[in-house]
Amino acid sequence: MPRGLPEVTHPDKILFPYNRYTKREVVEYYWKIAAYMLPFLNRRPLTLKIYPDGIDRKGFIQKHVPDHYPDSIPRLQVPSRESGELIRMVAVKNPLGLAWLANQNVLEFHAPLSLARDLEQPDQMIFDLDPSDNDFEKVRELAFALQSLLAERELPAFIKTTGSRGVHIHVPLRHGTDFHQLKEASRGLAESLVGRCPELATLEQRKSARGDRVYIDYLRNEYAMTAIAPYSLRALEGAPVATPIDWEELGSHNTRPRRWHLKNILRRLGARDDPWQDFARHRVDLRTHLD
């Protein structure tokens, strides 16, 4: 057991049945990955996906903090836009908190686009490229087209595999843009991308109307919407990881949405720099980069 890791309850419980990955392995993973993951979780109200009996049984989504959580797990008060009610949500500030939540069978961590101190001020924009089939080449081509579009507007673009079927492209932002402005800007960029790649991309929300095109989901650019956090596991066979990559890697046909997983991601990070280590340094004012 890694030094400093808290005791794991029921360590031999199987959470990924096909691969026989245990709860101990999941907790140890989150303990070891914390330095890479925490910058994208810290000070954000988190949505957790919990699988008490493993991924082959129904899990549940948790937003509210249960009463039994210890005081060492931070709480954040998040106002509901609909009711005005304050929702007490979980946060993570250190490796112990991340490991403790993993010990509660949390497999996936989803984070919003803003910090708790200023929930109405997004600090990133996101595009989810979601294929209608398993042809990742379409995703690859569309991602490069979106990178080119963003570069024309001098907007930085960071990409990660989702650990599922597609990729997420993030644009780090300075404060100053509200969510209405963010959604309008992302919608305009998505429409421009469809105009350039009409046979490849769609904004059609109905799956039945997408054909074999890649759906550009810009609707995540809303208050309280979340996305899978960088380096989070996914509750899927093989324990894939949502993995930050660089654009050169995307060009390699060895890069697939589930290429990195519980058993090889730490080896990857031990052999190279983290592609997102400078994410925060590239923040831009969205208002000055759009027509």
Side-chain angles (χ1 to χ4, degrees):
M1 181 178 295
R3 185 177 180 181
L5 180 69
E7 180 181 0
V8 181
T9 58
H10 309 293
D12 297 323
K13 179 165 65 173
I14 302 296
L15 294 181
F16 291 87
Y18 181 82
N19 309 92
R20 308 298 293 173
Y21 295 157
T22 65
K23 184 177 177 181
R24 183 201 307 274
E25 290 173 292
V26 169
V27 175
E28 289 182 356
Y29 168 74
Y30 278 117
W31 176 259
K32 293 175 181 177
I33 203 68
Y36 297 96
M37 193 174 179
L38 284 172
F40 301 99
L41 299 181
N42 192 22
R43 297 175 292 161
R44 297 180 194 272
L46 302 177
T47 298
L48 311 175
K49 287 194 175 182
I50 303 176
Y51 292 82
D53 300 306
I55 66 168
D56 61 341
R57 301 291 182 88
K58 187 175 178 61
F60 61 94
I61 295 172
Q62 180 175 291
K63 291 181 177 287
H64 296 73
V65 180
D67 292 337
H68 71 271
Y69 274 26
D71 293 341
S72 59
I73 299 298
R75 278 79 162 160
L76 296 174
Q77 300 291 338
V78 179
S80 166
R81 272 188 171 177
E82 290 75 21
S83 65
E85 176 188 2
L86 287 177
I87 303 170
R88 191 176 62 162
M89 296 183 68
V90 71
V92 177
K93 66 179 181 181
N94 55 39
L96 280 171
L98 197 60
W100 190 89
L101 289 169
N103 194 42
Q104 302 301 302
N105 304 298
V106 176
L107 295 185
E108 295 190 6
F109 292 80
H110 295 250
L113 302 180
S114 56
L115 299 171
R117 69 177 184 228
D118 200 346
L119 289 167
E120 295 285 355
Q121 294 281 308
D123 65 359
Q124 53 193 289
M125 177 166 55
I126 185 172
F127 297 91
D128 179 0
L129 304 189
D130 183 16
S132 300
D133 52 29
N134 292 318
D135 184 1
F136 188 67
E137 297 309 312
K138 297 173 188 171
V139 177
R140 201 188 314 272
E141 182 179 349
L142 190 61
F144 278 122
L146 178 53
Q147 182 202 26
S148 178
L149 177 64
L150 294 171
E152 290 172 12
R153 290 158 172 78
E154 298 182 336
L155 289 169
F158 287 77
I159 185 169
K160 74 175 190 279
T161 63
T162 63
S164 182
R165 297 196 309 165
V167 297
H168 288 168
I169 296 171
H170 295 242
V171 178
L173 303 176
R174 294 177 186 156
H175 284 171
T177 304
D178 62 30
F179 274 100
H180 174 74
Q181 294 167 319
L182 181 71
K183 187 175 180 182
E184 288 300 300
S186 63
R187 179 177 60 82
L189 288 163
E191 289 174 347
S192 294
L193 186 58
V194 170
R196 294 185 180 191
C197 308
E199 296 181 358
L200 192 62
T202 181
L203 298 180
E204 179 58 64
Q205 294 185 52
R206 294 172 300 158
K207 291 184 178 181
S208 61
R210 295 177 190 171
D212 60 359
R213 293 171 295 175
V214 178
Y215 174 53
I216 307 170
D217 183 0
Y218 69 89
L219 298 175
R220 292 176 182 267
N221 294 291
E222 286 266 23
Y223 179 84
M225 293 292 286
T226 65
I228 190 70
Y231 297 111
S232 175
L233 294 173
R234 304 305 305 266
L236 298 168
E237 182 181 311
V241 171
T243 305
I245 62 174
D246 61 36
W247 288 96
E248 183 178 347
E249 285 182 289
L250 182 65
S252 168
H253 291 287
N254 291 325
T255 297
R256 311 291 297 179
R258 301 189 189 184
R259 178 179 177 184
W260 292 284
H261 49 77
L262 175 69
K263 291 298 185 178
N264 67 5
I265 185 65
L266 291 167
R267 185 166 63 250
R268 163 185 167 79
L269 291 169
R272 58 158 300 146
D273 292 334
D274 179 6
W276 281 29
Q277 64 182 352
D278 293 327
F279 185 90
R281 297 180 189 175
H282 286 83
R283 298 193 189 282
V284 296
D285 186 337
L286 183 63
R287 297 167 298 179
T288 66
H289 286 75
L290 296 174
D291 298 333

